[in-house]
């Protein structure tokens, strides 16, 4: 019975709450930075492989436009033989600030990319729509941010059941402070970034 509960925990959460099962993930240096001016990789190949495995295990992945524009990530699963299980890419982009030359834009189609936005120019909306990206307009709250519970509800309605959140400092903090993560992976390096470090999350 105990093993069964563990095996079905995401399924049971979906059925009871009508929300995706959320897995948070963050990599930090020994001195708690998530970016460096000098180094792109924070941890090592082993934690990278676990990250790729998490992308395989989750049907969707969520980041902010800020992370996308800084890192230009691929957000796909790069484990041998499992690339076809890459998650659907979901981006929170309040003002449609996503860069047109990003990897996500250049590889987008109607099945693999969704952007939640609140405001954007007609030309940018048309450009993204022509690329096949699904745009969903949602309201913001009094502090001019998205209601993450509403976002999760809409993600669930799109058929996504297991969501990996690979956010930066602000998005990760929002999910944690609102108790929206069902489980969380923290990868901590044995190396310090020191003066080259940016965005301390301690």
């Amino acid at each position: 019975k105990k093993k069964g509960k563990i095996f079905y925990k995401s399924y049971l959460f979906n059925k009871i709450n009508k929300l995706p099962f959320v897995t948070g993930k963050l990599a930090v240096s020994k001195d708690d930075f998530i970016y460096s001016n000098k180094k792109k990789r924070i941890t090592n190949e082993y934690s990278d492989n676990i990250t790729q495995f998490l992308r395989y295990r989750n049907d969707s992945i969520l980041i902010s436009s800020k992370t996308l524009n800084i890192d230009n990530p691929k957000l796909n699963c790069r484990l041998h033989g499992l690339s076809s299980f890459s998650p659907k890419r979901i981006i929170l982009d309040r003002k449609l600030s996503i860069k047109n030359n990003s990897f996500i834009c250049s590889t987008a189609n109607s099945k693999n990319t969704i952007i939640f936005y609140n405001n954007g120019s007609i030309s940018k909306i048309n450009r993204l729509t022509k690329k096949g990206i699904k745009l969903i307009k949602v309201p913001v709250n009094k502090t001019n941010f998205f209601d993450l519970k509403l976002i999760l509800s809409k993600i669930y309605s799109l058929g996504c059941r297991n969501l990996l959140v690979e956010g930066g400092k602000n998005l990760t903090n929002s999910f944690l402070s609102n108790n929206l993560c069902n489980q969380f992976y923290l990868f901590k390096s044995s190396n310090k970034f020191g003066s080259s470090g940016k965005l301390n999350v301690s």
Side-chain angles (χ1 to χ4, degrees):
K1 185 177 180 180
K2 185 178 180 181
K3 289 182 178 179
K5 278 188 174 182
I6 294 172
F7 183 79
Y8 284 108
K9 63 180 178 180
S10 60
Y11 173 80
L12 294 173
F13 181 84
N14 294 155
K15 290 297 182 182
I16 294 170
N17 299 281
K18 306 300 181 187
L19 292 170
F21 186 88
V22 177
T23 299
K25 173 253 171 185
L26 191 68
V28 300
S29 64
K30 188 175 182 179
D31 45 356
D32 298 318
F33 289 103
I34 60 174
Y35 289 108
S36 170
N37 290 325
K38 296 180 179 179
K39 296 180 180 179
K40 186 170 180 64
R41 172 179 279 184
I42 294 178
T43 48
N44 58 27
E45 62 181 295
Y46 303 106
S47 55
D48 284 350
N49 284 337
I50 295 173
T51 294
Q52 298 302 318
F53 183 71
L54 288 174
R55 291 179 181 179
Y56 154 72
R57 288 292 302 271
N58 289 271
D59 55 37
S60 49
I61 184 170
L62 177 71
I63 65 167
S64 68
S65 57
K66 183 178 180 180
T67 295
L68 187 150
N69 288 336
I70 292 174
D71 291 348
N72 191 25
K74 290 183 171 63
L75 303 182
N76 56 358
C77 175
R78 295 188 288 278
L79 292 178
H80 180 69
L82 298 178
S83 60
S84 62
F85 293 95
S86 293
K88 188 186 299 284
R89 297 95 59 98
I90 303 174
I91 297 97
L92 299 183
D93 190 359
R94 192 160 40 91
K95 296 182 179 180
L96 289 182
S97 61
I98 182 174
K99 292 180 179 179
N100 294 321
N101 62 348
S102 65
F103 178 86
I104 296 299
C105 268
S106 63
T107 58
N109 59 54
S110 59
K111 295 181 179 180
N112 70 4
T113 308
I114 299 168
I115 295 179
F116 287 98
Y117 78 105
N118 177 254
N119 192 20
S121 67
I122 296 297
S123 60
K124 190 67 177 281
I125 290 172
N126 289 337
R127 191 180 302 119
L128 294 174
T129 302
K130 285 180 180 178
K131 288 180 177 291
I133 296 173
K134 186 178 183 65
L135 298 179
I136 301 176
K137 188 173 183 178
V138 291
V140 293
N141 57 28
K142 293 179 180 179
T143 58
N144 211 28
F145 289 104
F146 289 124
D147 179 341
L148 292 180
K149 192 79 176 283
L150 174 63
I151 295 291
L152 289 177
S153 179
K154 289 185 176 294
I155 290 174
Y156 182 85
S157 70
L158 294 169
C160 300
R161 297 294 179 262
N162 294 280
L163 177 69
L164 177 63
V165 178
E166 287 195 21
K169 181 178 181 178
N170 294 333
L171 186 60
T172 299
N173 182 61
S174 295
F175 267 87
L176 291 176
S177 61
N178 287 285
N179 296 313
L180 295 175
C181 285
N182 298 92
Q183 60 184 9
F184 195 88
Y185 287 78
L186 177 66
F187 300 102
K188 192 156 191 174
S189 172
S190 58
N191 299 317
K192 292 183 178 181
F193 280 170
S195 59
S196 70
K198 296 174 66 178
L199 292 179
N200 192 290
V201 296
S202 58

